[in-house]
Each structure stands twice: as structure tokens, then as C-alpha cells.
Amino acid sequence: MQSSGEKVVLNDGEVLRVEKLEVRFYTYAGVVHAVSNVSFYVREGETIALVGETGCGKTITTRAITKLIESPGRIESGIALFRRRNGQIVDLLKLDDEEIRKIRGDEIAYVFQDPSAALDPLYTVGYHFIETVKAHRNNVSKKNIIYLAIKLLREVAIPSPEVRVKNYPHELSGGMRQRSVIAISLSNMPKLLIADEPTTNLDVTIQAQILELLQELQKRYGMSMILITHNLGVVAETANRVYVMYAGKIVEEGNCETIFYNSAHPYTQLLLKAVPNPLKKIEKLESIPGTVPSLINPPPGCRFHPRCPFAMDICRKEEPPKIKLDDNHYVFCWLYTKR
Ligand SMILES: Nc1ncnc2c1ncn2[C@@H]1O[C@H](COP(=O)(O)OP(=O)(O)O)[C@@H](O)[C@H]1O
Ligand code: SF4
Ligand SMILES: [Mg+2]
């Protein structure tokens, strides 16, 4: 694996810094450029959101961080500096399998879209806590882990946690299953929680509750969080900063308010038009014309050009540079170059 030439450092107050991450899948149909030149950082105690339509590279970006990329996928290059609990700074992508396994599920935890996939139907909720803790700390007794499980189930607002801890997954509703998965993910007190579309499979009222819960827990435990979603509306109250991804690349980054009220990239602006406004009961949502391109032969130049209402000649030929619009506000788009 190559690493980029320049020196990348983790600044004070940052827990993770990813630089120039490249992930490809070598399929029979061709090479899928799933994640291209992706850079971002997460501060201690902050929530960032990765936003974009399905197929834009959000999941693969975050799975790559703990080397959860399976064949035919390959992390081609990049750096992912992480500040461990003990203060040590490591490049996650350079760790061997055993070293990364120690961090995954412990200092970095995941909550995925489908809670059923995260829970083994043959085992009780309590057993999942025991497995998760024992994988990293062998000296904790089962009794103490069950105490912890009950405490965490209570914190995620599961009623009668003493009873629920003995339940099997099928005895819980979808919302309760996702709450349990969140509680299990907290059992080792991660420094960084990655929540990948954690509410997509739940109904709308439960979605709001789960997001509120994640936000509360993140504050209570001082964790950092990466929230992945295809719905920009979801990030409004949850995230501090937002990275918008399109076709495997980051196209805009900024504070939450900037992205909502002052977005610059045409793709972000179209994504915003597709967000339901809770204040308006009936509203025609605009969907973005066209689809995310195949990443086997992504469009040259700006990957958004086939769908962009402002596309110019240069957009079809040359990749747009990263342009600073403001402190913390960056966009990759030819519209903002001074020529
Ligand atoms: N196992 C795989 N084999 C081939 N291509 C894959 C595989 N997993 C993901 N991809 C491709 O990588 C790109 C990014 O996928 P993903 O990160 O899952 O998107 P998102 O999470 O934004 O919906 C997509 O083009 C997808 O088709
Ligand atoms: S670089 Fe060109 S095609 Fe891409 S978003 Fe900007 S204006 Fe549209
Ligand atoms: Mg995904």
C-alpha cells in the first residue's frame, strides 16, 4: 500500500484524520473506484455526518478505517490517524489484523442499518454484551457485564432492562432491537462511534427518537461520532459538521448551518431540495434527475457533470480543485474558481 508523500498529523483535539483514502474493488466487470481521494477529520466529542445518495462511498469509507474491506476490495492508499485511549497515535491502515481487531468493537464501534443482522437470533441480548466485552477484556466477570448491560439498556430507554437483557432478538420490536444494538456498541465505551444509516429501516417517529438518543449518548460519554445518512434532513440537529459525498468523492464540507443555509455545491443544493420539510404537510419533493454513475468508469472531470445544471466545458474534462470559501467551508467545483 502506498502512502501519500506529505506529512499528515493529527492536530490537538482531533480523534481521527483520514487523508487521501482510495478504495477499489477488482470485479470481473472492471475496477470499481469506490472511494477516491477522500480526506476528513473528526474532533474529540463532535459528530460529523457523511451524506450522499446510495452508492456514493459512505459505507466503504468508514469500513476502510478499521480495515473491514473484503476481497475483491482493496485499500489502495491513504492514511487514517487515530488517537487511542492511551494517547498513542496510530495509522489504522498500517496495523496488522490482530492490532486492528483490538481497536474495532472497542475504541471504534459500529451501529449498522439493520439491527437484525447485528444480533444473533440464537442468543439473548445479554449474551451479546458478554461477547462484546469479553472480546476485549477477558478479566471482567459475566455478572458484572450483565450489570453493565442493564445500565446501558436503561440509558437507551428500554423499559424493564432486567427482563429485556434475557430476551432473544425476536422478542423485541425493530426500534428496541436498534436501541439494544446501540447499547451493545457502547459496552466498551468507544472513543468513536460510526452509525451507518442507523434509522433507515425504522418508522419515522422511531427514527427521530433514535437520533435524539444517539446525540444524547454522544454528549454524555464525550464520544465522537460519524453519522452516515442519505437524508440531509437527518443531520440538521445531530451533526456539527457535514461532508457531502458524490460518486466516491467528497464534494463539499462545512458546518451544519453553512451546508443548510449557504451550500455551494450544485449537488448539495439538489440534495437539500429532496429533504422533506417537517413544517409543510404537503409538499412536492424534488428528486435529483439521473442516477449516481457506475464507479467502474466514472465520468471524467467532475463526476457530477452529467447531472449538473451548471456544467461547463471544463467540468467535463478536468477534476475540480478544492476551493476554500470560508473557514471550515470547502467545495470541489469549477463555479468557484477565479479566472
Ligand atoms: N463488494 C463490492 N464489490 C464491488 N463493488 C462494491 C462492493 N461494495 C461496494 N461497492 C461499490 O462501492 C461504491 C460505494 O459503495 P458504498 O460505500 O456502499 O455506498 P453508500 O454507503 O454511499 O451507499 C458503490 O459503487 C458500490 O457499488
Ligand atoms: S464542477 Fe461543474 S459539473 Fe461539477 S458541480 Fe461544479 S459546475 Fe457542476
Ligand atoms: Mg451505505
Side-chain angles (χ1 to χ4, degrees):
M1 199 173 69
Q2 314 155 7
S3 54
S4 67
E6 326 144 27
K7 177 115 177 92
V8 178
V9 291
L10 196 63
N11 298 314
D12 283 349
E14 289 174 358
V15 65
L16 177 74
R17 181 170 277 272
V18 173
E19 283 284 326
K20 298 190 175 155
L21 179 66
E22 289 276 340
V23 184
R24 295 183 195 144
F25 288 89
Y26 292 82
T27 69
Y28 288 110
V31 181
V32 182
H33 295 258
V35 173
S36 303
N37 196 22
V38 163
S39 304
F40 65 95
Y41 65 92
V42 189
R43 296 195 189 100
E44 305 259 6
E46 90 166 333
T47 297
I48 67 153
L50 295 186
V51 186
E53 290 161 288
T54 302
C56 283
K58 308 179 296 295
T59 296
I60 299 299
T61 295
T62 48
R63 287 179 73 94
I65 293 167
T66 61
K67 299 178 84 173
L68 276 173
I69 302 294
E70 277 158 19
S71 175
R74 208 161 77 192
I75 302 172
E76 295 291 331
S77 55
I79 291 175
L81 297 181
F82 177 67
R83 192 184 308 277
R84 298 195 61 181
R85 268 194 210 107
N86 63 9
Q88 186 195 8
I89 296 171
V90 289
D91 182 351
L92 297 168
L93 305 186
K94 290 213 173 71
L95 299 183
D96 64 29
D97 288 353
E98 198 193 325
E99 291 167 326
I100 196 74
R101 228 180 284 125
K102 285 188 189 149
I103 292 180
R104 198 194 298 139
D106 183 23
E107 300 190 41
I108 303 178
Y110 289 85
V111 172
F112 291 110
Q113 178 172 336
D114 183 3
S116 306
L119 296 170
D120 189 326
L122 298 178
Y123 296 104
T124 62
V125 171
Y127 182 85
H128 288 84
F129 281 91
I130 293 170
E131 283 281 276
T132 309
V133 175
K134 287 273 185 199
H136 298 283
R137 265 163 281 276
N138 224 342
N139 54 353
V140 190
S141 71
K142 284 188 183 169
K143 197 173 137 201
N144 281 341
I145 299 174
I146 294 298
Y147 276 139
L148 171 73
I150 293 170
K151 173 179 172 275
L152 288 171
L153 290 172
R154 188 172 292 122
E155 294 205 1
V156 299
I158 289 196
S160 317
E162 302 81 0
V163 178
R164 292 304 186 185
V165 77
K166 294 180 199 146
N167 279 172
Y168 288 87
H170 75 268
E171 296 175 288
L172 307 174
S173 67
M176 281 227 247
R177 277 202 286 269
Q178 192 61 311
R179 282 171 193 274
S180 307
V181 169
I182 292 170
I184 294 164
S185 76
L186 297 179
S187 39
N188 291 316
M189 294 297 139
K191 285 200 73 179
L192 176 65
L193 183 71
I194 298 173
D196 190 348
E197 311 257 8
T199 63
T200 302
N201 283 348
L202 305 170
D203 66 47
V204 179
T205 45
I206 312 278
Q207 284 189 14
Q209 291 169 10
I210 296 276
L211 285 173
E212 212 171 292
L213 171 71
L214 280 170
Q215 209 183 347
E216 245 178 68
L217 293 167
Q218 182 256 322
K219 290 215 175 78
R220 188 175 313 155
Y221 291 112
M223 288 182 300
S224 305
M225 185 158 80
I226 301 178
L227 175 70
I228 298 180
T229 175
H230 60 270
N231 178 354
L232 244 177
V234 159
V235 310
E237 287 176 14
T238 325
N240 301 97
R241 290 183 305 112
V242 180
Y243 290 86
V244 181
M245 285 192 78
Y246 184 74
K249 293 186 168 206
I250 287 172
V251 296
E252 183 165 11
E253 64 176 89
N255 293 332
C256 203
E257 302 80 59
T258 308
I259 295 297
F260 272 85
Y261 299 111
N262 211 4
S263 62
H265 199 281
Y267 178 63
T268 313
Q269 292 166 355
L270 288 168
L271 264 186
L272 279 164
K273 287 191 181 158
V275 172
N277 183 341
L279 300 176
K280 290 186 197 162
K281 273 221 167 95
I282 303 165
E283 182 187 35
K284 190 175 166 290
L285 285 182
E286 289 183 40
S287 60
I288 307 174
T291 51
V292 178
S294 151
L295 298 182
I296 289 182
N297 279 312
C302 170
R303 290 187 181 177
F304 189 55
H305 84 249
R307 298 170 82 187
C308 180
F310 308 107
M312 304 167 283
D313 265 354
I314 191 163
C315 307
R316 295 179 191 96
K317 294 182 197 128
E318 287 181 48
E319 244 185 80
K322 180 175 183 174
I323 292 164
K324 180 174 181 166
L325 296 176
D326 211 334
D327 283 344
N328 289 320
H329 189 194
Y330 296 87
V331 68
F332 293 79
C333 174
W334 284 113
L335 288 175
Y336 299 90
T337 50
K338 293 193 187 78
R339 275 178 302 147

